[in-house]
């Protein structure tokens, strides 16, 4: 699987002596399994002047992080759409794969901590938020015909059951401890299971997409949408009956009760206990 880093390079609520925003490179090792301990994750931070916001300075910061880390990353994830060209260039110059992704839970938890506990203690702190440039609203695309499942079901599992996830037979996937995302053991975590005779290639294809969220798209005919990458989305199912719409409504309610934690699973058929793919996800407010 390799070590995955999560990176952000953006302005912070700090002003320099010229009343200009200070920028910061933040890097956090990612959470990939339920056993991952956030207290032992590698983390790196470096402030950068607003006149030094370029791929060369970012490349240097990443190189400094690599020199300090126990091991270099196999790839680097980043969620900020507006910075993708600069981040991609810096990573490629270092021979590291850069992946647009909203699977950045460890980074966001650290960013929230720094927003509360670190920046207010720094010189030049301002409570004015940094401007953000979001990704364009995604236009959901249909799944490739060869990857459409024969069946699907919305289900739920108690959060405590994920403690044994490392023992489950899973070919592709990623996870984190639901408790680290603020989910109590007895909370039911909702999810979608897709059954397909092509479960293996479907899971392999999904593993390259950086799956981040399942959501119900409202409208005259609601749809179940899978969000991937930094701005991509795919139509999993059209909810064209009252029963399906009710199931989807219950799914969204359960997501809220589980602090937006949910999962996507792929299996060959309902009778197998093995998973071709299993991804635990949390919807994040990116900014």
């Amino acid at each position: 699987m390799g070590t995955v880093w999560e990176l952000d390079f953006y302005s912070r609520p700090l002003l320099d002596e010229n009343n200009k925003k200070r920028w910061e490179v933040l890097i956090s090792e990612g959470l990939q399994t339920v056993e991952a301990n956030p207290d032992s994750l590698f983390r790196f931070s470096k402030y950068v002047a607003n006149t030094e916001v370029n791929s060369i300075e970012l490349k240097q910061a990443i190189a400094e992080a690599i020199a300090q880390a126990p091991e270099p990353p196999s790839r680097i994830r980043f969620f900020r759409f507006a910075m993708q060209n600069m981040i991609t260039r810096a990573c490629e110059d270092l021979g590291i794969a850069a992946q647009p992704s909203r699977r950045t839970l460890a980074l966001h938890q650290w960013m929230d901590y720094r927003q509360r506990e670190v920046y207010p203690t720094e010189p030049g702190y301002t409570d004015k938020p940094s401007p953000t440039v979001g990704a364009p609203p995604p236009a959901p695309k249909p799944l490739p015909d060869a990857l459409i499942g024969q069946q699907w079901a919305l289900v739920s599992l108690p959060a405590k059951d994920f403690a044994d996830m490392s023992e489950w037979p899973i070919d592709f996937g990623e996870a984190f401890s639901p408790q680290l995302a603020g989910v109590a053991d007895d909370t039911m975590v909702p999810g979608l299971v897709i059954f397909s005779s092509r479960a293996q290639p479907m899971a392999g294809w999904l593993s390259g997409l950086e799956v981040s969220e399942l959501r119900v798209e409202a409208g005259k005919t609601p749809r179940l949408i899978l969000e991937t990458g930094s701005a991509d989305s795919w139509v999993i199912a059209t909810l064209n009956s009252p029963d399906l719409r009710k199931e989807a409504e219950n799914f969204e309610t359960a997501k809220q009760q589980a602090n937006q934690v949910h999962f996507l699973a792929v299996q060959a058929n309902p009778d197998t206990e093995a998973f071709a793919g299993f991804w635990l996800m949390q919807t994040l407010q990116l900014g």
Side-chain angles (χ1 to χ4, degrees), residues 93-112:
D93 286 349
L94 290 166
I96 301 171
Q99 292 182 309
S101 177
R102 285 166 278 184
R103 290 193 65 89
T104 51
L105 175 60
L107 175 65
H108 273 80
Q109 288 187 344
W110 191 34
M111 290 174 66
D112 288 345

Side-chain angles (χ1 to χ4, degrees), residues 191-192 194 206 211 214 226 262-266 277-281:
L192 172 74
I194 299 174
L206 287 169
V211 297
L214 283 164
L226 175 66
H262 55 295
F263 64 86
L264 169 66
V266 179
F278 198 109
W279 292 268
L280 196 60
M281 302 172 283

Side-chain angles (χ1 to χ4, degrees), residues 53 62 189 206:
V53 178
I62 297 172
V189 176
L206 287 169

Side-chain angles (χ1 to χ4, degrees), residues 169-190:
I170 299 173
D171 295 322
F172 299 94
E174 279 191 68
F176 51 86
S177 170
Q179 289 73 23
L180 296 180
V183 181
D185 284 352
D186 59 352
T187 300
M188 298 301 291
V189 176

Side-chain angles (χ1 to χ4, degrees), residues 52-236:
E52 300 174 330
V53 178
N54 55 61
S55 63
I56 296 174
E57 290 293 331
L58 178 57
K59 174 185 173 182
Q60 181 177 326
I62 297 172
E64 291 176 21
I66 292 172
Q68 297 176 22
E71 61 178 312
S74 60
R75 61 191 190 277
I76 293 178
R77 288 172 167 156
F78 64 94
F79 70 90
R80 205 174 292 276
F81 181 82
M83 302 299 294
Q84 62 179 339
N85 290 337
M86 191 179 299
I87 294 173
T88 300
R89 187 179 303 118
C91 290
E92 288 179 347
D93 286 349
L94 290 166
I96 301 171
Q99 292 182 309
S101 177
R102 285 166 278 184
R103 290 193 65 89
T104 51
L105 175 60
L107 175 65
H108 273 80
Q109 288 187 344
W110 191 34
M111 290 174 66
D112 288 345
Y113 170 80
R114 293 180 68 80
Q115 190 72 38
R116 295 190 314 269
E117 306 294 338
V118 177
Y119 303 140
T121 69
E122 298 273 14
Y125 174 71
T126 173
D127 58 3
K128 294 181 180 178
S130 297
T132 60
V133 181
K141 297 173 284 191
L143 285 173
D145 289 344
L147 297 172
I148 296 176
Q150 280 74 50
Q151 294 176 263
W152 58 269
L154 291 169
V155 299
S156 60
L157 293 170
K160 64 178 182 294
D161 285 6
F162 290 94
D164 299 326
M165 188 173 170
S166 61
E167 301 173 11
W168 302 355
I170 299 173
D171 295 322
F172 299 94
E174 279 191 68
F176 51 86
S177 170
Q179 289 73 23
L180 296 180
V183 181
D185 284 352
D186 59 352
T187 300
M188 298 301 291
V189 176
L192 172 74
V193 183
I194 299 174
F195 303 106
S196 171
S197 59
R198 294 179 53 82
Q200 195 78 13
M202 172 179 267
W205 179 76
L206 287 169
S207 71
L209 293 184
E210 295 292 312
V211 297
S212 62
E213 176 189 1
L214 283 164
R215 64 177 177 86
V216 177
E217 179 188 71
K220 186 175 180 180
T221 304
R223 299 185 295 182
L224 189 60
I225 303 296
L226 175 66
E227 300 285 355
T228 68
S230 65
D232 297 322
S233 60
W234 307 84
V235 179
I236 297 295

